[in-house]
Structure formats: structure tokens, C-alpha cells
Amino acid sequence: QVQLVESGGGLVQAGGSLRLSCVTSGRTSITYPMGWFRQAPGKAREFLVGFSRSSSDIYYADSVRGRFTVSSDNAKNTIYLQMNSLKPDDTAIYYCAKLKYYSSSDTVIYDYWGQGTQVTVSS
């Protein structure tokens, strides 16, 4: 079993920044692929970031590349998502996830995910 708990969401003005955190516990080897996705009301789930903490390869969706940065603190079992230059279109619930698979072509298979944290960007 894997537990993932996100935090750090909130209300921010367009152009602002937020840093999301995801504390992991359970069977979360650093070799497992991890990621972030979001879901806005009435919209499909959007895969944002995929990475492995034991590798330097990171996938970013086009919609967030250059604005969002993922990092991790293995000692704290925590994954972060730094979000800069936020736009109203970034408004969604953000989820941290353990992945079974992801690729640079936006293919992803989710395994576990947390309860999410709400991000609201006002114009």
C-alpha cells in the first residue's frame, strides 16, 4: 500500500506562485515513477509531470513546461511541485501520484494517488 498526502494549495492571483507538497509513505521506493496530475471541473484529468527519484529524466506537459518544477526530498519522503507564473487556466485540484508507467509521449498509467489539493488562480 502507498499513502500520498498533498498540501500547499490555495488562492493566488494570476502571475503568482505556489509550492505543493506531497508526503509519501508505505511502499514508495525511490525507483518508482511518481508524478502530478490535475483535474478541473468538467475537464479530463491532465497529466502534468512524470519522474523517477532515481533518475534525472523528467516529463513535463507542454501546458506547464517552463513554469512548473518538480523536486523531491528523499530524506523527508516528500515530493514538491513549484508552480510559477500561474494562470487562471491552472485552476484545478492537483494530485500527487505513484505511477506504474509514464512516457514522454504523455502516456501514463496511474497506480495510487492522494486526495488532492485545490489550486485557484484568480484573474
Side-chain angles (χ1 to χ4, degrees):
Q1 283 286 354
V2 174
Q3 292 79 43
L4 305 161
V5 180
E6 303 94 336
S7 62
L11 174 63
V12 64
Q13 288 188 331
S17 298
L18 282 174
R19 188 177 80 156
L20 307 183
S21 299
C22 172
V23 178
T24 69
S25 60
R27 300 177 62 184
T28 55
S29 166
I30 63 170
T31 62
Y32 292 164
M34 303 292 293
W36 290 88
F37 69 90
R38 66 188 179 189
Q39 188 155 24
K43 295 186 178 181
R45 178 183 295 182
E46 182 183 10
F47 178 49
L48 302 177
V49 181
F51 73 105
S52 170
R53 288 172 288 178
S54 61
S55 169
S56 60
D57 293 333
I58 303 176
Y59 164 84
Y60 288 102
D62 289 344
S63 59
V64 303
R65 187 177 297 116
R67 299 188 299 124
F68 290 12
T69 304
V70 69
S71 62
S72 64
D73 184 334
N74 294 336
K76 296 182 178 180
N77 292 321
T78 302
I79 297 166
Y80 303 98
L81 185 66
Q82 178 67 42
M83 307 187 298
N84 299 328
S85 303
L86 284 163
K87 309 172 183 179
D89 283 350
D90 293 319
T91 296
I93 299 175
Y94 284 69
Y95 299 85
C96 169
K98 174 183 175 293
L99 311 177
K100 286 187 175 180
Y101 173 83
Y102 76 96
S103 76
S104 58
S105 62
D106 196 22
T107 300
V108 59
I109 301 175
Y110 299 101
D111 195 3
Y112 295 92
W113 55 92
Q115 83 291 347
T117 185
Q118 175 72 48
V119 171
T120 303
V121 184
S122 63
S123 57

